[in-house]
Amino acid sequence: MSRIQVRDGFLVLMAALWCADESGVLPIFLLAAAVHECGHLFVIRLSGGTVHALCLTACGAVLRCSLPPSPFSRAAICLAGPAASFALTALANPLGAYRLAGASALLGLFNLLPIPPLDGGMALRHLADGRCTFLLDGIAGISVLVLLAGGVLLWKSGFGGWLLLVGIMIGAPHVTRMHAHNRRGEHCSPANRSILRCSGAHCAPLRDNRCR
């Protein structure tokens, strides 16, 4: 990795979360997120990819890298993060680190949702390799609606609006992207160079698009 950049927004976000964290779970989730990202990094190197830079922003981490051309290799890179999360859960649970095990399992399950740029959504996109775009968009749209509905229920039940906020943050770019595609009447074809974007605690490869 050639460089690591830390934006001011990331520092502000961490400070705000630290002040709002009364139960002390923030360091646990940060550790779980670090293990998750190490899973991605390990398989990127294993598959012959190259990581050029890591940028920490208010929206999370962005890994800029060159990925192998094989759709299966790219899908494996996407799924390596959740696999690392579940491995940490399996390791932490017998040791009595139940909060770490739970946080890591939650992180892994959340990232398997079929919504780009989450790992599950991007793995499906890479395996489809430009096919079934409308079907995948539909699955992602339904998943966003389910996520938002779950967020509303948790909010009304007094568990806070964090899931609703996450659903909005993930769903808004998805709706914008679908609207842009519909207006153009076309779908982007993947180029060879790729960017691995990590938003919040999740990480997913995104391909540069020729029709941007």
Side-chain angles (χ1 to χ4, degrees), residues 69-71 74 123-133 136 190 207:
S70 169
R74 294 187 176 201
L124 289 176
R125 301 276 168 162
H126 288 309
L127 290 174
D129 197 23
R131 300 182 295 269
C132 306
T133 305
L136 295 178
R207 292 171 287 191

Side-chain angles (χ1 to χ4, degrees), residues 154-178:
L154 286 178
W155 179 45
K156 289 188 174 182
S157 301
F159 291 99
W162 58 270
L163 184 60
L164 180 60
L165 179 60
V166 169
I168 293 173
M169 291 177 63
I170 294 177
H174 175 72
V175 172
T176 302
R177 182 169 57 252
M178 288 185 62

Side-chain angles (χ1 to χ4, degrees), residues 73-197:
S73 296
R74 294 187 176 201
I77 290 171
C78 294
L79 298 177
S85 295
F86 296 141
L88 178 60
T89 296
L91 179 63
N93 196 52
L95 297 176
Y98 300 119
R99 292 208 297 179
L100 177 59
S104 190
L106 180 62
L107 190 63
L109 290 172
F110 177 75
N111 274 277
L112 287 178
L113 289 175
I115 309 170
L118 296 180
D119 297 329
M122 293 311 301
L124 289 176
R125 301 276 168 162
H126 288 309
L127 290 174
D129 197 23
R131 300 182 295 269
C132 306
T133 305
F134 289 105
L135 175 62
L136 295 178
D137 283 342
I139 293 174
I142 293 173
S143 301
V144 168
L145 292 177
V146 172
L147 190 62
L148 291 174
V152 171
L153 289 176
L154 286 178
W155 179 45
K156 289 188 174 182
S157 301
F159 291 99
W162 58 270
L163 184 60
L164 180 60
L165 179 60
V166 169
I168 293 173
M169 291 177 63
I170 294 177
H174 175 72
V175 172
T176 302
R177 182 169 57 252
M178 288 185 62
H179 180 66
H181 287 173
N182 291 335
R183 289 188 61 185
R184 287 194 300 242
E186 60 184 0
H187 291 277
C188 299
S189 58
N192 290 328
R193 184 169 177 80
S194 300
I195 296 175
L196 193 67
R197 293 184 59 85

